[in-house]
Amino acid sequence: MTTGAGLRVDHAVTSGTFSLDGQTFDVDNNVWVVGDDESCVVIDAPHSVDGILEAVADRRVTAIVCTHAHDDHVRVAVALRDAVTAPILLHPAERPLWELTHPDFLWDVDLSDGLAVAVAGSSLTVLHTPGHSPGSVCLLASDLGCVFTGDTLFQGGPGATGRSFSDGDLIVESIRSRLLALPDETVVHTGHGDDTTIGAERAALG
Ligand SMILES: [Zn+2]
């Protein structure tokens, strides 16, 4: 039985495309793997099962948590589920977006605000942060002093809200009420690009 003492974050970047509203863009996506030497949780499933499994190494995957259902975050979720036999977790408000990529499959477990996702003797707490998309979530790892923000908060500000299913006022409200409530030193692991901190983004948001 582990206690969360050996908990760590591993990281990979996979490359592919993001498509919505009839446009397609090249994108690099972060994959975050939280766990100890035995088991882990994968956060987001973009582009490449092999790329994700390199970060997993030989550990048991206990959950595939999707921060939201844009295709660049869920494209290989079903293939990864088949490869590692772990459930896919997603907020149910993402269903319209999910079905654009996976019309023939559903995810396994609904995420909801406050839910604790078990990981290697610790847990990730779900923060429902709508705006980038209706069911966007952030995952707070209190034991590690970090939060995984998907496309809700990047280094330099809020995620994009110019496309379908997005709401610019709502993302700012989500960031202010849920993320800026965290301590300044909290490390922010984003869905694309570099890390930041809550303190740095609080200052930038003014
Ligand atoms: Zn997105």
Side-chain angles (χ1 to χ4, degrees):
M1 189 67 195
T2 53
T3 60
L7 206 64
R8 68 175 194 268
V9 178
D10 290 275
H11 174 228
V13 177
T14 67
S15 299
T17 59
F18 163 59
S19 299
L20 191 63
D21 297 341
Q23 289 182 292
T24 295
F25 306 89
D26 292 326
V27 285
D28 294 332
N29 281 67
N30 293 323
V31 177
W32 301 102
V33 179
V34 185
D36 60 11
D37 289 341
E38 321 270 292
S39 66
C40 59
V41 166
V42 174
I43 299 174
D44 285 337
H47 311 309
S48 162
V49 170
D50 287 345
I52 296 168
L53 290 181
E54 276 183 36
V56 167
D58 58 355
R59 294 178 284 174
R60 184 167 52 91
V61 177
T62 54
I64 302 160
V65 184
C66 299
T67 59
H68 63 298
H70 281 152
D71 63 354
D72 58 325
H73 292 256
V74 300
R75 179 167 289 113
V76 301
V78 173
L80 182 64
R81 174 173 67 184
D82 292 344
V84 302
T85 319
I88 300 167
L89 285 65
L90 180 71
H91 194 286
E94 292 297 280
R95 185 163 185 155
L97 285 164
W98 170 269
E99 288 180 338
L100 294 175
T101 304
H102 297 297
D104 299 328
F105 300 93
L106 276 178
W107 64 95
D108 303 289
V109 178
D110 284 348
L111 294 176
S112 58
D113 191 64
L115 183 78
V117 178
V119 50
S122 182
S123 64
L124 303 172
T125 302
V126 175
L127 308 176
H128 182 211
T129 52
H132 178 67
S133 62
S136 277
V137 300
C138 297
L139 299 154
L140 177 63
S142 297
D143 287 346
L144 289 165
C146 67
V147 62
F148 302 88
T149 56
D151 289 359
T152 293
L153 182 63
F154 293 132
Q155 183 189 77
T161 52
R163 299 182 186 284
S164 297
F165 305 104
S166 284
D167 185 323
D169 292 336
L170 195 53
I171 197 171
V172 171
E173 169 58 22
S174 289
I175 290 168
R176 288 193 186 284
S177 65
R178 307 308 303 277
L179 296 179
L180 297 191
L182 301 173
D184 277 352
E185 62 272 21
T186 308
V187 173
V188 177
H189 296 301
T190 65
H192 305 272
D194 294 333
D195 289 348
T196 183
T197 64
I198 291 298
E201 298 313 316
R202 185 196 314 281
L205 279 162

